[in-house]
Tab-separated table of all heavy atoms in Angstrom:
chain	number	residue	atom	x	y	z
A	1	LEU	N	-43.203	63.299	-60.330
A	1	LEU	CA	-43.340	63.447	-61.777
A	1	LEU	C	-42.443	62.428	-62.472
A	1	LEU	O	-41.256	62.332	-62.157
A	1	LEU	CB	-42.945	64.864	-62.188
A	1	LEU	CG	-42.883	65.161	-63.683
A	1	LEU	CD1	-44.254	64.995	-64.318
A	1	LEU	CD2	-42.338	66.563	-63.935
A	2	VAL	N	-43.017	61.698	-63.388
A	2	VAL	CA	-42.259	60.663	-64.092
A	2	VAL	C	-42.685	60.664	-65.558
A	2	VAL	O	-43.847	60.970	-65.880
A	2	VAL	CB	-42.461	59.284	-63.441
A	2	VAL	CG1	-43.918	58.854	-63.512
A	2	VAL	CG2	-41.540	58.234	-64.018
A	3	GLN	N	-41.773	60.321	-66.421
A	3	GLN	CA	-42.095	60.241	-67.848
A	3	GLN	C	-42.836	58.958	-68.167
A	3	GLN	O	-42.697	57.946	-67.447
A	3	GLN	CB	-40.804	60.301	-68.658
A	3	GLN	CG	-40.107	61.648	-68.612
A	3	GLN	CD	-38.916	61.728	-69.549
A	3	GLN	OE1	-38.373	60.707	-69.966
A	3	GLN	NE2	-38.513	62.933	-69.895
A	4	PRO	N	-43.609	58.963	-69.222
A	4	PRO	CA	-44.275	57.716	-69.647
A	4	PRO	C	-43.255	56.592	-69.813
A	4	PRO	O	-42.157	56.806	-70.347
A	4	PRO	CB	-44.916	58.095	-70.980
A	4	PRO	CG	-45.175	59.565	-70.850
A	4	PRO	CD	-44.006	60.094	-70.066
A	5	GLY	N	-43.618	55.411	-69.308
A	5	GLY	CA	-42.717	54.276	-69.338
A	5	GLY	C	-41.863	54.142	-68.100
A	5	GLY	O	-41.185	53.123	-67.912
A	6	GLY	N	-41.885	55.156	-67.260
A	6	GLY	CA	-41.075	55.143	-66.053
A	6	GLY	C	-41.702	54.357	-64.916
A	6	GLY	O	-42.767	53.762	-65.066
A	7	SER	N	-41.014	54.388	-63.776
A	7	SER	CA	-41.450	53.638	-62.606
A	7	SER	C	-41.433	54.505	-61.357
A	7	SER	O	-40.652	55.459	-61.258
A	7	SER	CB	-40.516	52.437	-62.378
A	7	SER	OG	-40.553	51.539	-63.453
A	8	LEU	N	-42.291	54.134	-60.426
A	8	LEU	CA	-42.307	54.740	-59.100
A	8	LEU	C	-42.674	53.656	-58.097
A	8	LEU	O	-43.382	52.703	-58.436
A	8	LEU	CB	-43.337	55.880	-58.993
A	8	LEU	CG	-42.972	57.240	-59.607
A	8	LEU	CD1	-44.185	58.159	-59.522
A	8	LEU	CD2	-41.782	57.864	-58.930
A	9	ARG	N	-42.246	53.862	-56.867
A	9	ARG	CA	-42.638	52.961	-55.773
A	9	ARG	C	-43.273	53.812	-54.678
A	9	ARG	O	-42.628	54.680	-54.101
A	9	ARG	CB	-41.444	52.206	-55.222
A	9	ARG	CG	-41.831	51.120	-54.215
A	9	ARG	CD	-40.634	50.535	-53.536
A	9	ARG	NE	-40.941	49.317	-52.798
A	9	ARG	CZ	-40.364	48.971	-51.651
A	9	ARG	NH1	-39.480	49.772	-51.094
A	9	ARG	NH2	-40.698	47.833	-51.058
A	10	LEU	N	-44.523	53.518	-54.404
A	10	LEU	CA	-45.263	54.217	-53.354
A	10	LEU	C	-45.199	53.424	-52.058
A	10	LEU	O	-45.159	52.191	-52.073
A	10	LEU	CB	-46.713	54.427	-53.760
A	10	LEU	CG	-46.977	55.103	-55.112
A	10	LEU	CD1	-48.467	55.292	-55.298
A	10	LEU	CD2	-46.226	56.399	-55.238
A	11	SER	N	-45.224	54.148	-50.949
A	11	SER	CA	-45.259	53.529	-49.635
A	11	SER	C	-46.411	54.115	-48.838
A	11	SER	O	-46.796	55.274	-49.025
A	11	SER	CB	-43.953	53.767	-48.870
A	11	SER	OG	-42.852	53.215	-49.548
A	12	CYS	N	-46.939	53.317	-47.921
A	12	CYS	CA	-48.022	53.790	-47.049
A	12	CYS	C	-47.770	53.225	-45.659
A	12	CYS	O	-47.778	52.009	-45.488
A	12	CYS	CB	-49.370	53.353	-47.560
A	12	CYS	SG	-50.712	53.633	-46.393
A	13	ALA	N	-47.559	54.116	-44.718
A	13	ALA	CA	-47.350	53.718	-43.322
A	13	ALA	C	-48.659	53.894	-42.564
A	13	ALA	O	-49.261	54.967	-42.583
A	13	ALA	CB	-46.252	54.562	-42.707
A	14	ALA	N	-49.089	52.835	-41.923
A	14	ALA	CA	-50.344	52.844	-41.186
A	14	ALA	C	-50.075	52.811	-39.684
A	14	ALA	O	-49.179	52.114	-39.224
A	14	ALA	CB	-51.199	51.642	-41.566
A	15	SER	N	-50.856	53.594	-38.949
A	15	SER	CA	-50.782	53.543	-37.490
A	15	SER	C	-52.195	53.613	-36.952
A	15	SER	O	-53.110	54.077	-37.627
A	15	SER	CB	-49.946	54.686	-36.933
A	15	SER	OG	-50.502	55.935	-37.265
A	16	GLY	N	-52.368	53.099	-35.744
A	16	GLY	CA	-53.675	53.137	-35.142
A	16	GLY	C	-54.547	51.944	-35.513
A	16	GLY	O	-55.667	51.817	-35.029
A	17	ILE	N	-54.066	51.083	-36.394
A	17	ILE	CA	-54.776	49.843	-36.720
A	17	ILE	C	-54.188	48.765	-35.820
A	17	ILE	O	-53.025	48.381	-35.967
A	17	ILE	CB	-54.593	49.462	-38.197
A	17	ILE	CG1	-55.177	50.563	-39.094
A	17	ILE	CG2	-55.279	48.131	-38.481
A	17	ILE	CD1	-54.978	50.320	-40.574
A	18	ILE	N	-55.001	48.303	-34.875
A	18	ILE	CA	-54.476	47.456	-33.807
A	18	ILE	C	-53.886	46.154	-34.353
A	18	ILE	O	-52.765	45.769	-34.005
A	18	ILE	CB	-55.568	47.166	-32.767
A	18	ILE	CG1	-56.002	48.476	-32.096
A	18	ILE	CG2	-55.055	46.169	-31.737
A	18	ILE	CD1	-57.162	48.330	-31.154
A	19	ILE	N	-54.631	45.470	-35.193
A	19	ILE	CA	-54.114	44.232	-35.777
A	19	ILE	C	-54.059	44.423	-37.287
A	19	ILE	O	-54.991	44.096	-38.015
A	19	ILE	CB	-55.001	43.032	-35.409
A	19	ILE	CG1	-55.206	42.968	-33.892
A	19	ILE	CG2	-54.351	41.748	-35.897
A	19	ILE	CD1	-56.107	41.848	-33.434
A	20	PHE	N	-52.970	44.987	-37.739
A	20	PHE	CA	-52.831	45.352	-39.163
A	20	PHE	C	-52.957	44.138	-40.059
A	20	PHE	O	-53.577	44.190	-41.118
A	20	PHE	CB	-51.457	46.019	-39.346
A	20	PHE	CG	-51.121	46.411	-40.755
A	20	PHE	CD1	-51.611	47.591	-41.285
A	20	PHE	CD2	-50.296	45.609	-41.552
A	20	PHE	CE1	-51.304	47.975	-42.578
A	20	PHE	CE2	-49.986	45.976	-42.836
A	20	PHE	CZ	-50.490	47.178	-43.357
A	21	SER	N	-52.412	43.017	-39.616
A	21	SER	CA	-52.295	41.852	-40.493
A	21	SER	C	-53.634	41.226	-40.872
A	21	SER	O	-53.701	40.480	-41.852
A	21	SER	CB	-51.410	40.805	-39.827
A	21	SER	OG	-51.970	40.391	-38.591
A	22	ILE	N	-54.694	41.510	-40.137
A	22	ILE	CA	-55.961	40.864	-40.452
A	22	ILE	C	-56.748	41.615	-41.518
A	22	ILE	O	-57.770	41.132	-41.987
A	22	ILE	CB	-56.850	40.695	-39.202
A	22	ILE	CG1	-57.347	42.047	-38.682
A	22	ILE	CG2	-56.125	39.899	-38.137
A	22	ILE	CD1	-58.384	41.924	-37.598
A	23	HIS	N	-56.260	42.803	-41.874
A	23	HIS	CA	-56.984	43.633	-42.841
A	23	HIS	C	-56.443	43.457	-44.249
A	23	HIS	O	-55.223	43.423	-44.464
A	23	HIS	CB	-56.862	45.113	-42.471
A	23	HIS	CG	-57.554	45.477	-41.197
A	23	HIS	ND1	-58.907	45.723	-41.128
A	23	HIS	CD2	-57.094	45.593	-39.943
A	23	HIS	CE1	-59.234	46.008	-39.877
A	23	HIS	NE2	-58.158	45.939	-39.124
A	24	ALA	N	-57.350	43.359	-45.204
A	24	ALA	CA	-56.937	43.519	-46.588
A	24	ALA	C	-56.579	44.979	-46.785
A	24	ALA	O	-57.283	45.868	-46.323
A	24	ALA	CB	-58.068	43.132	-47.534
A	25	MET	N	-55.480	45.224	-47.449
A	25	MET	CA	-55.024	46.595	-47.695
A	25	MET	C	-55.047	46.880	-49.191
A	25	MET	O	-54.669	46.030	-50.001
A	25	MET	CB	-53.608	46.808	-47.158
A	25	MET	CG	-53.517	46.716	-45.645
A	25	MET	SD	-54.497	47.964	-44.785
A	25	MET	CE	-53.773	49.494	-45.379
A	26	GLY	N	-55.454	48.079	-49.530
A	26	GLY	CA	-55.574	48.428	-50.930
A	26	GLY	C	-54.948	49.773	-51.250
A	26	GLY	O	-54.749	50.602	-50.379
């Protein structure tokens, strides 16, 4: 929960993708 004007940083850890670097991530 954040107030309008605030900031957050999201993270996403991926596993099971053999060659992660070749994929576009969104």
